[in-house]
Amino acid sequence: MAHVVPETDAREPVSAGTTAHAWSAYRVNVTETTHQQHGYATRSQEYRLFRNALRGLRQDMFHDPFAYRLLPPRHTDGPFVRRLPGRLRADARYLPHAVVGGIALLALVVGAVGGSLPGGDLPALVTGVLCALPVAATLVRPIGAFWLSLVVTPLIALISGNGLEWPWMPGAFISHLTVLIVVALRTRPRTAVWMWVLTTVYAFLSDVFFGGSYYYTNSGPMMVTSAFALLLVCLWHIRHTAQQEVTAQQTVTAHERSRRTALEERTTIARELHDVVAHHMSVVAIQAEAAPYRVENPPEELERAFATIRENAVAALTELRRILGVVRAEDYEAPDAPQPTLTDLDALLANVREAGLAVDKVVTGAVRELPPGVELSAYRIVQEALSNSLRHAPGATARVEVSYVLGGLGLRIVNGSMPQSSLVKPSPGAGHGITGMRERVSMLDGEMTAGPADDGGYEVAVFLPVTARTEGEA
């Protein structure tokens, strides 16, 4: 309901700083706005649908209809094209162009010989060209080709009409049907609907005003044939769009899954490093505090040095807990036992053997103590590799090689192929294990390769660099 300002309000005194003219304009503006909103609200749903349909018609069929849109080459990654040889695969990119060109040639021939004129006469040749021209135009100006087909159809009937078929002569029938299909393939389902509606309107008007003098009208066959053809094209569009959306969603999901896996693995690594480093920093702080009491009458400089060491260790421990502690979940509990090292590999291998994996261990080089982060990462990499062997190759054999070399630590975990007689089926995985191993190797500036082995199994090779410590640092 429109808002009406009483006349008594207009006679009330105007407050300071507000003119009578401004107040009057404000009342008119409010009233007009209210009327507009009221009128918009009273419009029916059918009216809005009709208005949106007209907007779609104008956008699809009348907005720059002769815009240049060259048909791009097709992709060569399809299931059939990929099997072709190299030269044929390159030529297959232009297969749609060749098909359209062939149909244009067919329309030219049928248009030239399908009318009442002899095929060799100039009017017959003109008729054939008029039939082929809209088909060829679909390669560069698809919407313009549709309008061109509607324009040349009555011209073809007037030039070479035989009084038996109206409004589409044989060549024009092939031409217009081809234009509808090709333009629908190049655009979208809504455009296909509008083309069919406009073709129906043209057929109806031509039958009503000009069809009386003709023996036969082929508007019905054109409408039925084009309706089935455009329906198939629309279904193809819907299926193709759905496949693209599913592929895009799968790509995004795989990317997010990989990203989440990497973050989870980094969180696990940060937790473990927090526990390892915090333990050693605590030991340093305690030893620095207790060291002066182990020396009788220690010098003042020595006491200050140990006090400084303890203060720095406590400060570093506090910062470490503040920064790395944020990665802990609220329900995360630090393990009571120390983090595993390479000395615990034998227990790990025994546990894996009990699970059914026959595994051997080979150690080369001079065994020595490595930094805790390297030991922990090496243990986790071997653990994950053997878990993958159990999961993906049940019944196979595995081998763990640990090499202590001059510049670091080398690991090689390889399993054979799954035996044919194995009753246990492999369990599919999402590739999280490989991602976690790469994260650990990357954290330590190492190198890693993972892939199928020559004998049909799988191999993981890792090198973790270790900086040599001098005697003074030791």
Side-chain angles (χ1 to χ4, degrees):
M1 182 175 180
H3 176 67
V4 179
V5 180
E7 293 296 332
T8 56
D9 294 343
R11 291 192 296 268
E12 291 180 358
V14 181
S15 59
T18 305
T19 63
H21 176 72
W23 175 252
S24 176
Y26 169 75
R27 290 194 304 162
V28 172
N29 188 20
V30 170
T31 304
E32 290 179 352
T33 304
T34 306
H35 278 294
Q36 292 175 0
Q37 293 177 352
H38 178 71
Y40 179 80
T42 57
R43 292 174 179 174
S44 63
Q45 183 70 21
E46 291 78 6
Y47 171 79
R48 288 194 289 268
L49 290 176
F50 179 73
R51 187 182 59 181
N52 293 333
L54 291 181
R55 185 183 296 113
L57 173 63
R58 183 173 64 253
Q59 180 181 359
D60 290 346
M61 306 304 300
F62 294 98
H63 178 70
D64 197 8
F66 290 92
Y68 182 79
R69 293 174 54 191
L70 179 64
L71 178 64
R74 63 168 297 171
H75 298 289
T76 58
D77 55 352
F80 300 103
V81 180
R82 284 184 301 184
R83 301 177 182 178
L84 297 176
R87 182 61 183 274
L88 292 179
R89 186 187 307 171
D91 295 338
R93 296 183 302 166
Y94 301 99
L95 180 61
H97 304 75
V99 172
V100 173
I103 298 177
L105 182 60
L106 175 64
L108 187 148
V109 174
V110 175
V113 301
S116 61
L117 300 174
D121 290 352
L122 180 61
L125 180 61
V126 172
T127 301
V129 172
L130 290 178
C131 293
L133 187 60
V135 179
T138 57
L139 297 176
V140 290
R141 305 183 191 275
I143 302 298
F146 168 77
W147 291 114
L148 181 61
S149 179
L150 286 183
V151 170
V152 302
T153 295
L155 296 179
I156 296 172
L158 292 176
I159 295 174
S160 62
N162 52 16
L164 300 178
E165 294 176 311
W166 174 264
W168 283 279
M169 299 299 293
F173 193 97
I174 296 175
S175 174
H176 192 70
L177 184 61
T178 303
V179 168
L180 290 178
I181 296 174
V182 175
V183 176
L185 287 171
R186 294 200 57 189
T187 54
R188 53 183 174 176
R190 190 177 72 178
T191 305
V193 172
W194 282 123
M195 288 192 301
W196 188 85
V197 170
L198 292 174
T199 301
T200 304
V201 172
Y202 167 77
F204 174 78
L205 295 178
S206 63
D207 289 346
V208 169
F209 293 102
F210 303 101
S213 60
Y214 285 84
Y215 177 77
Y216 171 73
T217 174
N218 54 8
S219 297
M222 170 60 77
M223 294 300 97
V224 174
T225 306
S226 60
F228 276 104
L230 294 179
L231 178 61
L232 294 177
V233 172
C234 291
L235 292 177
W236 176 85
H237 269 294
I238 295 173
R239 181 175 179 272
H240 183 67
T241 302
Q243 285 181 340
Q244 288 183 333
E245 293 178 355
V246 170
T247 302
Q249 186 63 34
Q250 288 177 346
T251 302
V252 172
T253 302
H255 176 72
E256 290 297 328
R257 185 187 298 113
S258 177
R259 182 173 175 270
R260 184 173 62 250
T261 302
L263 291 177
E264 291 175 355
E265 189 62 30
R266 291 175 185 175
T267 301
T268 303
I269 295 172
R271 289 171 179 171
E272 294 176 344
L273 286 181
H274 174 271
D275 298 332
V276 172
V277 178
H279 168 73
H280 287 280
M281 293 300 294
S282 301
V283 172
V284 171
I286 294 173
Q287 289 182 346
E289 184 178 6
Y293 298 100
R294 297 183 179 181
V295 180
E296 186 178 357
N297 298 324
E300 184 178 354
E301 293 82 2
L302 183 62
E303 291 182 353
R304 285 199 301 268
F306 280 116
T308 303
I309 294 174
R310 182 183 181 279
E311 291 175 359
N312 291 334
V314 172
L317 185 60
T318 302
E319 290 295 323
L320 179 67
R321 287 173 176 169
R322 182 177 64 84
I323 296 175
L324 296 183
V326 298
V327 302
R328 294 184 182 274
E330 294 181 358
D331 57 348
Y332 175 76
E333 297 181 0
D336 297 332
Q339 295 292 343
T341 61
L342 290 177
T343 57
D344 301 313
L345 274 184
D346 292 335
L348 173 64
L349 298 183
N351 189 16
V352 171
R353 292 188 186 100
E354 292 179 358
L357 179 64
V359 56
D360 296 329
K361 185 183 76 168
V362 177
V363 180
T364 58
V367 178
R368 64 184 185 275
E369 184 179 356
L370 300 175
V374 176
E375 295 258 359
L376 175 62
S377 296
Y379 179 89
R380 295 300 188 196
I381 290 172
V382 175
Q383 183 182 38
E384 186 60 41
L386 294 179
S387 299
N388 288 342
S389 300
L390 282 171
R391 186 182 303 113
H392 299 289
T397 60
R399 179 183 178 90
V400 177
E401 299 178 2
V402 182
S403 303
Y404 291 87
V405 296
L406 183 61
L409 178 69
L411 297 173
R412 182 174 177 268
I413 306 95
V414 58
N415 62 267
S417 60
M418 186 178 66
Q420 297 293 337
S421 59
S422 177
L423 299 178
V424 182
K425 301 299 181 181
S427 175
H432 294 181
I434 298 296
T435 302
M437 286 188 281
R438 292 192 187 280
E439 286 293 328
R440 292 182 180 275
V441 174
S442 176
M443 179 191 65
L444 298 174
D445 295 329
E447 298 178 1
M448 172 180 166
T449 58
D454 296 336
D455 58 353
Y458 201 83
E459 177 182 350
V460 175
V462 175
F463 176 75
L464 302 178
V466 177
T467 304
R469 296 184 299 178
T470 62
E471 294 182 358
E473 292 175 343

